[in-house]
Amino acid sequence: MTEVQLIELTVNGERHDLAVEPRRTLVDVLRHDLGLTGTHVGCEHGICGACTVLVDGAPARACLMFAAQAEDADIRTVESLAAPDGTLNDLQRSFSAHHGLQCGFCTPGFLMLAEGYLAERPEASKEEIREVVASNVCRCTGYQTIVEAIDDCAGRRRAAFQAQLDSGRSA
Amino acid sequence: MKPAAFTYHRARSVAAAVGLLNDLGDDAKIIAGGQSLVAMMNFRLARPEHLIDIGRVPGLDHIRRDGAALRIGALVTHHAVETADLGTDFAVVSDAMRWIGHLPIRTRGTVGGSLAHADATAEWCLLAVLLDAEIVAEGSGGRRTIPAGEFFQGVFTTALEPDELIVEVVFPRPAPRAALTEYAERRGDFATVAAAVDLDAPRVVLGGVATVPLRVPSAEAVLMTDGPRIPAGEAAAAAIDPRDEPGVSAHYRRALTRTLVERACEEAAAR
């Protein structure tokens, strides 16, 4: 008989009690047990990055973690980016504006990679973004437009933050 | 692929992990960040019957200066070291982190896991040999310290006993003029050749040219007498005995070795 284990996962702010095999990776639990199919599965050995999610805010490969290891952690997937009414967030809009995707298979991974990275390093330069983007594999767009999408979004976020500071000062 | 079935155990302390290792024997493996182990399990190159998760064992996540020494807990991630300010004394350690895989690997992978996995191209393994690190392990016989020079014994093989796990690595001496560099066909991939140099010790250590991180005494002797750069690279290239492999000829690996040792010497001298 297959061994089943009870685990509790917090995904996009929601708690889930699950009975899963210990060998279930985080990405398989997200997709098969929680129905969150926005996170994609590519290579299953940590090379392609299609399964990238945020674990306690940091980008991580969901294929290289067992779900049981993610108990007590705060998991965020691509489903958390858009507003409940489906309005895309600024990073997603930037990918669209810069044509940062074609087939879209790799996109959820790139989005979560960029969200995690920009949260840690909002002042990232274009060269630093290019280096981080090398973490994930895209086989159709090429990386130029992805780099531009992330760089543009980072610039807009910095400008918005600065505007907020300025208005606070003048008030 | 999907990994084979196993039983999952969560250890709450080092003693509990040691107890589990004792009880479960050879069929058990420790998992920390799992960035090598889970990939191997997905390929079914590893099929442990039991996994002992030490990911949340408290007290193993420190990065601390202790006099001249630097002490790093086994569960510290590569990314934590990458972003820590280790000062000029150990800049070689934090700077080497960018060579480890990619950011999402470095946020999960751990120092102890990398040393225990003992890939001969792994940056932590090279750093350990380069800086005469002491690897602190705990088993049912208590704690002991294993010098890095005796720790790596062969392909993915270490001096750890079956009931031992790494709790800490200690770098006993500052290395302000040291550097690590490498070459891989793709950014973030396993190094074809990696070279690490400490001009003061002096030490020259190579990865990817033998089954363990390889010290090259003849190149160290050159650093002692001639000073850095080109002769050390030539000595290192002459000292290794690589085999022709598909896509990487012995000649090419030797040429890479010469170039990378020279480059590491220049970077170390420029610090």
Side-chain angles (χ1 to χ4, degrees):
Chain A
M1 208 190 99
T2 316
E3 204 172 327
V4 166
Q5 184 181 12
L6 297 175
I7 61 168
E8 187 186 298
L9 282 189
T10 305
V11 182
N12 300 334
E14 212 174 301
R15 272 175 48 174
H16 302 271
D17 290 308
L18 298 156
V20 298
E21 278 188 83
R23 65 171 174 159
R24 202 78 144 161
T25 55
L26 177 59
V27 71
D28 281 346
V29 166
L30 292 173
R31 291 177 55 84
H32 300 294
D33 298 285
L34 298 179
L36 296 169
T37 53
T39 304
H40 290 170
V41 195
C43 69
E44 293 192 311
H45 63 284
I47 302 299
C48 80
C51 67
T52 305
V53 298
L54 300 185
V55 177
D56 290 329
R61 310 286 207 223
C63 75
L64 289 190
M65 279 183 80
F66 294 110
Q69 293 176 276
E71 270 198 304
D72 306 332
D74 175 32
I75 311 295
R76 274 186 66 201
T77 69
V78 70
E79 284 88 351
S80 70
L81 298 186
D85 69 357
T87 307
L88 300 181
N89 87 343
D90 56 346
L91 181 67
Q92 291 170 308
R93 287 198 305 275
S94 193
F95 266 65
S96 172
H98 288 272
H99 305 288
L101 64 149
Q102 282 184 34
C103 85
F105 184 84
C106 67
T107 311
F110 273 102
L111 289 169
M112 299 318 284
L113 174 71
E115 284 291 358
Y117 180 62
L118 291 183
E120 182 183 307
R121 198 165 164 72
E123 72 279 23
S125 70
K126 201 163 182 174
E127 275 321 296
E128 290 171 324
I129 290 168
R130 190 180 300 281
E131 170 81 26
V132 163
V133 158
S135 305
N136 286 19
V137 172
C138 167
R139 295 287 81 152
C140 51
T141 306
Y143 302 90
Q144 189 61 33
T145 54
I146 296 174
V147 170
E148 281 162 10
I150 298 169
D151 182 50
D152 186 24
C153 178
R156 284 169 194 272
R157 285 183 184 181
R158 284 193 296 265
F161 184 66
Q162 189 58 48
Q164 214 172 21
L165 288 182
D166 293 345
S167 71
R169 212 172 287 142
S170 62
Chain B
M1 274 174 37
K2 308 296 177 191
F6 60 86
T7 305
Y8 176 88
H9 307 264
R10 181 173 300 158
R12 300 279 179 193
S13 66
V14 173
V18 169
L20 282 163
L21 279 174
N22 239 326
D23 295 345
L24 301 169
D26 285 347
D27 295 331
K29 265 196 96 67
I30 296 280
I31 185 166
Q35 298 301 286
S36 298
L37 181 57
V38 181
M40 289 174 71
M41 289 176 69
N42 286 354
F43 276 123
R44 302 210 177 187
L45 292 170
R47 303 179 65 142
E49 286 186 26
H50 300 271
L51 274 193
I52 303 167
D53 185 359
I54 59 166
R56 258 153 297 170
V57 170
L60 300 181
D61 61 353
H62 56 278
I63 303 175
R64 183 170 68 229
R65 286 301 293 266
D66 180 5
L70 172 69
R71 310 181 79 96
I72 304 181
L75 288 181
V76 171
T77 65
H78 313 312
H79 188 55
V81 174
E82 181 178 22
T83 50
D85 181 9
L86 302 182
T88 51
D89 282 357
F90 290 103
V92 59
V93 176
S94 47
D95 286 354
M97 297 298 102
R98 69 191 175 90
W99 293 105
I100 303 179
H102 296 286
L103 174 67
I105 302 290
R106 297 196 290 269
T107 60
R108 297 284 308 162
T110 67
V111 179
S114 183
L115 290 167
H117 182 55
D119 187 303
T121 64
E123 292 74 10
W124 279 111
C125 301
L126 260 74
L127 288 171
V129 174
L130 180 76
L131 304 178
D132 297 314
E134 292 153 2
I135 290 143
V136 185
E138 186 165 325
S140 37
R143 277 197 182 201
R144 68 176 177 129
T145 296
I146 309 163
E150 298 163 21
F151 186 76
F152 303 104
Q153 299 191 332
V155 184
F156 299 119
T157 308
T158 69
L160 286 174
E161 295 295 332
D163 67 346
E164 282 183 320
L165 66 139
I166 297 172
V167 293
E168 189 182 44
V169 58
V170 184
F171 296 98
R173 57 173 168 82
R177 294 202 308 147
L180 179 150
T181 190
E182 58 189 55
Y183 176 79
E185 210 170 319
R186 287 163 299 274
R187 192 82 176 90
D189 220 333
F190 295 100
T192 308
V193 175
V197 165
D198 181 345
L199 297 179
D200 296 318
R203 281 276 189 290
V204 177
V205 184
L206 300 174
V209 302
T211 58
V212 294
L214 187 73
R215 265 188 71 182
V216 191
S218 58
E220 292 171 2
V222 170
L223 288 184
M224 194 91 83
T225 53
D226 295 358
R229 297 186 183 84
I230 293 159
E234 278 167 5
I240 60 170
D241 185 21
R243 254 176 272 165
D244 282 323
E245 285 168 31
V248 188
S249 67
H251 175 78
Y252 178 49
R253 209 179 285 270
R254 218 183 276 281
L256 274 179
T257 299
R258 181 170 56 238
T259 302
L260 291 169
V261 169
E262 286 170 16
R263 198 175 287 170
C265 286
E266 279 162 22
E267 286 177 20
R271 279 198 195 275

